[in-house]
């Protein structure tokens, strides 16, 4: 009887366990319909912790459903553990499309997936960060595995040495691609913002050479590296080398953040005790890096879980204290860390199941990092503005002190200024006297030039006047002779003159007509000379007009020659003219160029006369030396392609030594005896050619041989 009761007791227990198992299966089965969005498996799956990592699939399958634990949150989170986790999921696909599992924790190291379909067929796949990238069904940062069109039971074995959050969704290919596309856009945008901030501030660093910008850029690059590992962007480097996949981003991020904080807030000067504490804390963080690299888990993760919030809150409090101490730039720093901590806390609470898992909460850390780095960029810009304000204030204080010093200097120098004013008045009076003297000398030079011109004109005008007088007297005699001849000639019966006498009268009339032509010619010559004199004496109005350079040179050469002869009866020289035929007329100020020519011709005649007198006094053979002044004109094109007329004045006079030639165009420099020149002629000529006509005036001279002046006038 006892045996029968015991049998029924065991049978009842088995039936109860079977019914419970059936009830668990019915409750946990995940149903997926066509067109549904990705579904989280956390609320349907059950898990079993294999602490020693010794269970095989056969042993797991032999366990009852009651041996598996149900997740208390929508997203399974196993914390920091090195245990092997087995996940069991019942599933029913009501659609005709194959389904895929998407593991959204990008740092899962080992994933072993076994799928049994409705027919009992088995399908096994492996993935994770330790698996070759080429074996992944989808080439992405996270693992995506196909479970087939009609899966029934799914077993998943997962191991990792990082934070063991286990967000897994199931969906068809279309829904999977759509969701991942949204995630990728958001992650790409965030990473792009970080990269743009880093490159922009790196450019500022190279421009300003301020190392704080370099620390900021390093912090941003480490932030990019950290978020790239957390969000799977690092996968696109396509590497299977473990050294690049080892993740120590949090440690490096904290170290660089501490370095930037110290330099940005000047903690070594403003808060020395805090600065010492940060150095100790930095050493502690640095010691965790080798623990992480040697994969001593879960110790490394437990330490970082404790130190990371301490570091974030500490930097926030340091920023607040710095702001309260008067650091205006710290306000942006505080806001930056507030946003970063909010983003990190949001993502952490999302994985812990406190907040819902969605596109925003799962990427809140990345968004917080973007806002943080933007605000830190504002902080750097504001720091520059503060420096500018402080610099402006310092300049204002310096200006105030300078003004005060200036007032003292003014008071101290008041007596000195009075003495300077008196001395200045004396100097101004002397300067006025000098200016008057200079004007008188310039006027004397002009009068001397006008005197020489007048003397030459007087000699030139005398010749036509003598011709006019002589031909007038001759015409009077011929007229009287004509009257007498007409009076004595017999008349014809018709009242006319006899033919023989008429021929004689015609001869007299022809002579009278010839005389009148000559009188008219020489009177016109005298009129032109007078007109030229008036043009020369007229004050120049600066107006340029077309001028025949050949005609002007001919007239002024003759006037200069006769002017010198009028002053010195013993003077005699030969002059030669070599004018280019059809020389084009050019626009010049004729009165000014005339003065230049007259000055050069006069100097040339003076030079040949001086040499002639010297050779006569030295009893040399004067017949050998013939004083000669030559002038030539030609049109040409300069090497720069500028059309110009060249006027060359050559004399075979005394010439000039080199020390005289270098000073020849200086005002008041002259080689003539005292009272015979002002030293302004060549100086004024040089200014007229170079400044008034954009030309050049050059001199070539050899002592004892002669001098050449070359005028170049562009047109």
């Amino acid at each position: 009887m006892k045996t029968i009761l015991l049998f029924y007791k065991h049978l009842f227990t088995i039936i109860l366990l079977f019914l419970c198992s059936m009830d668990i299966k019915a409750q946990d089965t995940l149903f997926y319909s066509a067109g549904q969005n990705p579904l989280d498996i956390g609320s349907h799956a059950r898990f079993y912790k294999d602490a020693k990592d010794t269970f095989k699939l056969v042993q797991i399958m032999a366990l009852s459903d009651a041996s598996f634990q149900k997740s208390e949150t929508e997203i399974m989170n196993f914390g920091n553990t090195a245990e092997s986790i087995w996940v069991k999921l019942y599933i029913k696909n009501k659609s005709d499309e194959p389904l895929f599992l998407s593991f959204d924790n990008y740092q899962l190291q080992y994933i072993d997936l076994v799928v049994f379909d409705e027919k009992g067929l088995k399908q096994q796949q492996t993935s994770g960060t330790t698996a070759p990238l080429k074996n992944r069904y989808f080439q992405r940062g996270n693992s995506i595995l196909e479970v087939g069109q009609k899966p029934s039971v799914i077993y998943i074995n997962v191991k990792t040495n990082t934070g063991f959050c286990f967000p897994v969704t199931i969906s068809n290919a279309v829904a999977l691609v759509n969701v991942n596309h949204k995630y990728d856009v958001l992650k790409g945008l965030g990473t792009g913002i970080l990269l743009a901030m880093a490159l922009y501030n790196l450019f500022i660093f190279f421009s300003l050479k301020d190392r704080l910008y370099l620390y900021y850029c390093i912090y941003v690059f480490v932030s990019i590296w950290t978020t790239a590992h957390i969000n799977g962007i690092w996968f696109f480097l396509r590497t299977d080398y473990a050294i690049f996949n080892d993740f120590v981003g949090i440690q490096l991020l904290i170290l660089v953040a501490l370095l930037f904080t110290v330099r940005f807030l000047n903690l070594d000067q403003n808060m020395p005790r805090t600065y010492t504490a940060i150095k100790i804390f930095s050493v502690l963080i640095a010691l965790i890096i080798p623990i992480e690299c040697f994969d001593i888990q879960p110790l490394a993760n437990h330490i970082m879980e404790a130190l990371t919030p301490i570091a974030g809150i500490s930097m926030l409090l340091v920023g607040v204290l710095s702001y309260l101490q008067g650091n205006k730039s710290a306000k942006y720093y505080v806001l930056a860390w507030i946003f970063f901590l909010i983003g990190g806390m949001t993502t952490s609470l999302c994985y812990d199941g406190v907040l819902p898992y969605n596109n925003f909460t799962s990427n809140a850390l990345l968004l917080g990092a973007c806002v943080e780095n933007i605000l830190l960029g504002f902080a750097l810009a504001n720091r520059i503005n503060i420096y500018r304000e402080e610099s402006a204030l310092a300049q204002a204080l310096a200006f105030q002190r300078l003004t005060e010093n200036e007032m003292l200097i003014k008071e101290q120098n008041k007596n000195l200024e009075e003495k300077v004013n008196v001395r200045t008045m004396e100097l101004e009076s002397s300067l006025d006297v000098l200016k008057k003297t200079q004007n008188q000398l310039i006027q004397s030079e002009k009068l001397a030039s006008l005197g020489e011109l007048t003397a030459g004109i007087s000699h030139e005008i005398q010749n036509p006047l003598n011709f006019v007088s002589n031909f007038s007297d001759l015409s009077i005699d011929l007229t009287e002779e004509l009257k007498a001849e007409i009076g004595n000639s017999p008349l014809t019966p018709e009242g006319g003159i006899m033919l023989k006498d008429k021929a004689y009268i015609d001869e007299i009339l022809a002579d009278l007509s010839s005389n009148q032509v000559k009188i008219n010619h020489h009177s016109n010559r005298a009129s032109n000379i007078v007109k030229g004199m008036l043009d020369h004496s007229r004050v120049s109005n600066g107006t340029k007009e077309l001028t025949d350079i050949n005609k002007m040179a001919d007239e002024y050469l003759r006037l200069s020659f006769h002017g010198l002869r009028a002053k010195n009866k013993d003077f005699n020289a030969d002059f030669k003219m070599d004018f280019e035929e059809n020389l084009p007329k050019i626009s010049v100020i004729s009165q000014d160029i005339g003065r230049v020519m007259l000055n050069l011709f006069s100097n040339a005649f003076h030079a040949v006369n001086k040499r002639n007198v010297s050779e006569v006094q030295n009893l040399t053979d004067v017949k050998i030396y013939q004083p000669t002044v030559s002038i030539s004109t030609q049109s040409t094109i300069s090497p720069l392609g500028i059309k110009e007329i060249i006027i060359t004045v050559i004399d075979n006079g005394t010439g000039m030594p080199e020390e005289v030639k270098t000073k020849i165009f200086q005002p008041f420099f002259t080689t003539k005896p005292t009272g015979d020149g002002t030293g302004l002629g060549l100086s004024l000529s040089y200014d007229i050619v170079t400044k008034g006509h954009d030309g050049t005036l050059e001199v070539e001279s050899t002592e004892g041989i002669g001098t050449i002046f070359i005028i170049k006038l562009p047109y």
Side-chain angles (χ1 to χ4, degrees):
M1 186 65 180
K2 290 182 180 180
T3 304
I4 296 173
L5 290 175
L6 184 61
F7 171 75
Y8 281 110
K9 182 179 179 180
H10 286 296
L11 180 62
F12 177 77
T13 302
I14 293 172
I15 294 172
L16 181 62
L17 289 174
F18 176 76
L19 292 175
C20 289
S21 175
M22 293 299 293
D23 183 62
I24 290 173
K25 179 178 179 181
Q27 290 179 359
D28 291 344
T29 300
L30 187 150
F31 293 93
Y32 185 85
S33 302
Q36 275 190 291
N37 291 327
L39 299 177
D40 293 307
I41 70 170
S43 58
H44 300 277
R46 289 176 174 267
F47 65 90
Y48 178 83
K49 291 185 178 180
D50 181 8
K52 297 182 179 180
D53 192 20
T54 57
F55 277 67
K56 303 298 181 181
L57 177 62
V58 176
Q59 296 171 292
I60 293 297
M61 292 176 63
L63 295 174
S64 65
D65 289 341
S67 302
F68 288 83
Q69 303 178 43
K70 186 170 180 59
S71 174
E72 298 179 357
T73 59
E74 183 180 3
I75 304 298
M76 289 182 284
N77 194 333
F78 306 110
N80 289 315
T81 179
E83 298 176 331
S84 175
I85 305 297
W86 286 89
V87 178
K88 184 177 183 180
L89 174 67
Y90 293 104
I91 183 170
K92 179 67 175 180
N93 184 13
K94 295 183 178 182
S95 69
D96 296 329
E97 299 177 356
L99 301 183
F100 298 86
L101 281 177
S102 176
F103 298 83
D104 294 334
N105 184 343
Y106 298 87
Q107 300 177 64
L108 297 176
Q109 293 178 311
Y110 175 79
I111 301 172
D112 188 8
L113 174 69
V114 179
V115 181
F116 291 94
D117 62 12
E118 295 177 351
K119 296 180 180 180
L121 297 178
K122 175 183 175 182
Q123 176 185 357
Q124 186 170 1
Q125 302 174 62
T126 59
S127 186
T129 59
T130 58
L133 298 176
K134 63 181 180 179
N135 294 343
R136 294 193 178 185
Y137 189 86
F138 284 92
Q139 293 294 303
R140 292 183 49 78
N142 62 324
S143 296
I144 299 176
L145 302 177
E146 184 181 4
V147 298
Q149 186 174 354
K150 296 297 180 181
S152 177
V153 183
I154 298 175
Y155 292 93
I156 307 171
N157 182 216
V158 187
K159 289 182 289 186
T160 187
N161 59 6
T162 61
F164 208 150
C165 179
F166 197 62
V168 183
T169 61
I170 190 166
S171 65
N172 58 24
V174 175
L176 178 66
V177 170
N178 289 338
V179 170
N180 283 325
H181 174 69
K182 294 178 181 179
Y183 284 2
D184 291 343
V185 169
L186 182 60
K187 295 169 185 175
L189 179 62
T191 305
I193 292 174
L194 292 176
L195 186 60
M197 293 296 297
L199 295 178
Y200 172 73
N201 284 276
L202 189 63
F203 171 77
I204 296 178
F205 163 70
F206 286 118
S207 300
L208 301 181
K209 304 301 181 183
D210 187 347
R211 285 191 295 177
L212 182 60
Y213 285 93
L214 179 61
Y215 299 148
Y216 172 79
C217 293
I218 295 174
Y219 175 71
V220 177
F221 282 125
V222 175
S223 297
I224 294 174
W225 185 47
T226 302
T227 56
H229 275 84
I230 295 176
N231 294 295
I233 301 176
W234 192 257
F235 164 80
F236 293 102
L237 289 180
R238 298 288 199 277
T239 175
D240 281 323
Y241 294 102
I243 189 173
F244 293 110
N245 296 324
D246 288 340
F247 181 60
V248 291
I250 300 297
Q251 295 88 331
L252 292 179
L253 186 65
I254 294 175
L255 289 175
V256 178
L258 291 172
L259 175 61
F260 175 78
T261 300
V262 169
R263 297 307 177 191
F264 180 77
L265 300 178
N266 294 323
L267 297 182
D268 53 341
Q269 299 177 3
N270 300 331
M271 304 171 68
R273 292 184 179 178
T274 304
Y275 175 64
T276 302
I278 287 178
K279 288 197 295 184
I280 296 174
F281 190 78
S282 300
V283 172
L284 184 60
I285 294 294
L287 292 176
I288 302 175
I289 295 178
I291 298 177
E292 182 81 36
C293 293
F294 285 109
D295 200 15
I296 304 176
Q297 297 296 349
L299 177 62
N301 287 338
H302 285 308
I303 296 175
M304 287 308 301
E305 273 191 350
L307 294 182
T308 299
I310 294 175
I313 296 173
S314 299
M315 284 186 278
L316 176 61
L317 293 177
V318 168
V320 172
L321 292 175
S322 181
Y323 178 73
L324 294 177
Q325 289 181 357
N327 189 343
K328 297 180 181 179
S329 297
K331 62 181 179 181
Y332 291 105
Y333 175 87
V334 172
L335 289 174
W337 276 104
I338 289 175
F339 276 98
F340 183 74
L341 291 177
I342 290 175
M345 291 175 60
T346 301
T347 300
S348 178
L349 292 175
C350 162
Y351 288 144
D352 289 339
V354 178
L355 295 176
Y357 183 86
N358 54 43
N359 196 8
F360 172 75
T361 56
S362 62
N363 292 284
L365 178 61
L366 176 61
L367 297 176
C370 291
V371 176
E372 178 210 23
N373 284 280
I374 292 174
L375 289 174
L376 289 179
F378 288 161
L380 290 175
N382 185 64
R383 185 168 177 264
I384 295 177
N385 293 331
I386 292 174
Y387 283 164
R388 288 177 178 173
E389 293 176 359
E390 293 176 351
S391 177
L393 180 60
Q395 290 179 359
L397 292 175
F399 181 75
Q400 182 180 356
R401 294 176 182 175
L402 181 63
T403 304
E404 294 174 356
N405 293 334
E406 188 176 353
M407 294 297 295
L408 292 175
I409 293 174
K410 286 182 178 180
E411 292 178 0
Q412 294 174 357
N413 293 340
K414 186 175 181 180
N415 295 331
L416 180 60
E417 288 181 357
E418 293 178 355
K419 294 180 181 180
V420 170
N421 290 333
V422 173
R423 182 59 178 166
T424 301
M425 292 177 63
E426 295 176 355
L427 292 175
E428 288 179 350
S429 177
S430 301
L431 182 61
D432 291 338
V433 173
L434 289 174
K435 286 182 178 179
K436 291 179 181 179
T437 304
Q438 181 179 359
N439 291 333
Q440 290 175 355
L441 290 172
I442 293 174
Q443 191 64 28
S444 298
E445 177 65 26
K446 291 182 178 180
L447 290 175
S449 174
L450 183 60
E452 293 183 2
L453 180 62
T454 303
I457 289 174
S458 299
H459 185 276
E460 280 289 296
I461 204 172
Q462 186 64 42
N463 289 332
L465 290 178
N466 288 337
F467 276 107
V468 171
S469 178
N470 293 336
F471 284 114
S472 297
D473 292 341
L474 182 58
S475 296
I476 292 172
D477 293 339
L478 290 174
T479 303
E480 293 298 330
E481 184 178 350
L482 180 60
K483 288 180 180 180
E485 184 65 28
I486 293 174
N488 297 329
S489 298
L491 300 176
T492 61
E494 291 81 7
I497 302 175
M498 297 297 292
L499 180 59
K500 181 179 180 180
D501 297 331
K502 182 177 183 302
Y504 179 64
I505 292 173
D506 289 339
E507 182 181 351
I508 294 174
L509 290 174
D511 290 339
L512 285 173
S513 176
S514 176
N515 290 342
Q516 294 300 320
V517 171
K518 294 179 180 179
I519 291 172
N520 181 65
H521 170 74
H522 289 289
S523 62
N524 288 336
R525 173 61 179 161
S527 176
N528 289 335
I529 293 173
V530 173
K531 181 180 179 182
M533 181 178 180
L534 291 174
D535 289 340
H536 182 81
S537 62
R538 187 182 299 116
V539 177
S540 175
N541 57 7
T543 302
K544 293 183 178 180
E545 55 187 9
L546 289 176
T547 304
D548 188 341
I549 296 298
N550 287 344
K551 182 179 179 182
M552 176 183 287
D554 178 58
E555 291 182 357
Y556 280 100
L557 180 62
R558 296 179 185 277
L559 292 175
S560 177
F561 173 76
H562 292 299
L564 188 58
R565 288 206 62 183
K567 293 171 61 178
N568 184 2
K569 300 298 183 181
D570 296 331
F571 169 72
N572 193 17
D574 189 13
F575 57 85
K576 299 178 181 180
M577 293 174 286
D578 182 15
F579 296 148
E580 180 181 313
E581 295 183 2
N582 301 321
L583 189 71
K585 294 183 178 181
I586 62 173
S587 294
V588 295
I589 304 173
S590 57
Q591 295 91 337
D592 291 349
I593 296 299
R595 291 191 180 97
V596 173
M597 289 184 177
L598 185 62
N599 185 272
L600 296 181
F601 295 151
S602 299
N603 288 343
F605 283 124
H606 278 291
V608 297
N609 183 55
K610 181 178 180 181
R611 179 177 176 182
N612 188 39
V613 172
S614 175
E615 294 194 1
V616 170
Q617 290 177 351
N618 293 333
L619 301 177
T620 58
D621 188 358
V622 296
K623 293 183 180 180
I624 297 176
Y625 174 69
Q626 177 61 40
T628 305
V629 175
S630 304
I631 178 173
S632 64
T633 61
Q634 63 173 339
S635 61
T636 184
I637 299 177
S638 70
L640 298 178
I642 300 175
K643 294 181 180 180
E644 57 187 10
I645 286 181
I646 300 178
I647 305 170
T648 306
V649 179
I650 306 174
D651 69 71
N652 60 347
T654 56
M656 292 179 286
E658 190 65 29
E659 60 271 15
V660 173
K661 187 170 63 174
T662 57
K663 302 177 182 179
I664 196 67
F665 295 121
Q666 295 179 4
F668 305 109
F669 178 80
T670 181
T671 58
K672 296 178 181 178
T674 304
D676 200 13
T678 62
L680 293 174
L682 287 176
S683 175
L684 292 175
S685 299
Y686 186 82
D687 289 342
I688 289 172
V689 174
T690 58
K691 297 179 180 179
H693 294 80
D694 297 326
T696 59
L697 177 56
E698 303 171 356
V699 61
E700 300 175 3
S701 183
T702 304
E703 189 174 10
I705 296 178
T707 302
I708 302 174
F709 283 94
I710 303 171
I711 302 173
K712 296 180 180 179
L713 298 174
Y715 68 96

